[in-house]
Amino acid sequence: MSQEGFGDLFSRKRAAQAGVGFAVALAIIYLLAVGVGLDRLIEVLTRAELRWVAAGALSTALCLVAWARVWQIVLRVVGFDVSFRKLVVTFYAATFANYVTPLGQAGGEPFIAYVLSRDTEASYEDSLASVVTADLLNLFPFFSFAGIGFAALLYTASLPTQVRPLALGLGAMAVGVPVFALVGWRFRFWLGNAVLRLAAPITRRVRFLSLASLRGRMRDLNTAFERIADDPWALVHALLYAYVGWIFFALPLYFAGLAIEAELTLLLVFFIVPASTLAGLVPSPGGLGGVETALLVLLVGLAGLGQAPALAATLLYRVESYVFGLVAGGVAALWVVFRN
């Protein structure tokens, strides 16, 4: 990737937006800490066993490596055999871009595809098709683990009232996302023509975009998707790594519980992590503020933890996952700029 690519990410406007997002999110986290009691929270955190925090950070590192492998498999299907070592660094850098961009968690695929296309020989269309396909593959374990945990919770006890909206949101996504993907694929030509009709008035008013070039890009994107769909065994192979990645993605919360001597069952963790991820769709970098609030509610309501231990486990989990990903991804982003 060129320096101009990350230069756009680090522009003053984007830096200001990210700064405001971080400030608001940290203010929310501070208010949560004040609400549960700062003294009690600090007491729990100072007793935390750092070896479990380190284990959680290692789990996050392995998660990102597994998901980079999903990228590599899908890219190979569209004809690009990228060095895995190089692709891991690119994936970490793209994760950093996602984590510092408000709403990056909700729709960072176009930017990540740009990062991938600039750092490999793949075209933007091939990169975007690969990134979207990898994201869809990662949704299968997301819903699988959430469904297993949800079923276990229903079997053992009723869900608390405050948790039901998140459970309903997971259920709606479990049904809606696959249906949306299937409908979009089935009617992709109709949707493409609809996009071109909507874009036609815009292309007549701007110089840098033409209807012919947009039609060509959409045709290339569709060709990339069709090449991926024609190799189901490669998709199954990638899906296995997606499941491995999600296991390592969830484990940091389990390790955060062990760090403060609060043993969380894996079934509970497999429900709480996807449920809290929905809160990551808030317009703040990495879902800061929203994820912490959701985790606090879930750990108190489902795990039966006190508010101070629940917030302590939440903060340790976010250090192991989000902060570690931010720091490691930032180093990777600098390395991507350096090697280009």
Side-chain angles (χ1 to χ4, degrees), residues 155-228:
Y155 179 76
T156 56
S158 60
L159 286 173
T161 303
Q162 63 268 35
V163 177
R164 289 175 185 170
L166 286 173
L168 291 174
L170 276 176
M173 288 184 67
V175 176
V177 171
V179 170
F180 178 80
L182 289 173
V183 170
W185 177 253
R186 176 66 178 81
F187 296 100
R188 61 189 183 280
F189 297 112
W190 182 87
L191 290 173
N193 290 330
V195 170
L196 290 174
R197 286 195 296 271
L198 292 173
I202 300 175
T203 58
R204 288 194 291 267
R205 290 176 172 83
V206 295
R207 296 180 178 179
F208 59 86
L209 180 66
S210 69
L211 200 61
S213 65
L214 181 60
R215 183 181 291 108
R217 283 184 172 272
M218 292 181 65
R219 183 173 58 249
D220 292 341
L221 181 61
N222 179 68
T223 301
F225 274 122
E226 288 179 342
R227 286 204 302 268
I228 294 171

Side-chain angles (χ1 to χ4, degrees), residues 42-111:
I42 293 172
E43 180 185 349
V44 176
L45 288 173
T46 53
R47 293 204 313 265
E49 295 189 45
L50 295 182
R51 62 191 177 103
W52 293 118
V53 178
L58 176 61
S59 183
T60 297
L62 294 174
C63 159
L64 296 178
V65 169
W67 283 346
R69 177 63 172 155
V70 176
W71 261 20
Q72 187 189 37
I73 294 171
V74 177
L75 276 172
R76 189 173 293 162
V77 173
V78 296
F80 296 95
D81 194 359
V82 185
S83 163
F84 184 60
R85 181 181 299 178
K86 179 179 181 179
L87 198 59
V88 167
V89 177
T90 306
F91 189 87
Y92 268 79
T95 299
F96 170 78
N98 228 9
Y99 279 5
V100 299
T101 305
L103 279 179
Q105 294 294 91
E109 286 81 3
F111 186 82

Side-chain angles (χ1 to χ4, degrees), residues 9-10 14 17-19 22 95-102 104 284-286 322 326:
L9 175 65
F10 296 137
R14 287 184 177 273
Q17 291 173 341
F22 276 116
T95 299
F96 170 78
N98 228 9
Y99 279 5
V100 299
T101 305
S284 66
Y322 177 71
L326 197 64

Side-chain angles (χ1 to χ4, degrees), residues 233-316:
W233 288 112
L235 295 181
V236 171
H237 187 197
L239 187 60
L240 292 176
Y241 281 98
Y243 271 94
V244 171
W246 260 98
I247 291 173
F248 285 122
F249 182 76
L251 282 178
L253 181 59
Y254 178 75
F255 291 132
L258 291 179
I260 60 168
E261 298 182 350
E263 294 188 10
L264 305 172
T265 66
L266 288 176
L267 287 175
L268 188 62
V269 167
F270 287 155
F271 173 76
I272 289 178
V273 171
S276 66
T277 301
L278 293 182
L281 301 181
V282 298
S284 66
L288 271 177
V291 171
E292 287 76 12
T293 302
L295 280 171
L296 177 61
V297 171
L298 289 165
L299 288 173
V300 171
L302 294 179
L305 299 183
Q307 289 189 343
L311 185 56
T314 293
L315 295 179
L316 291 175

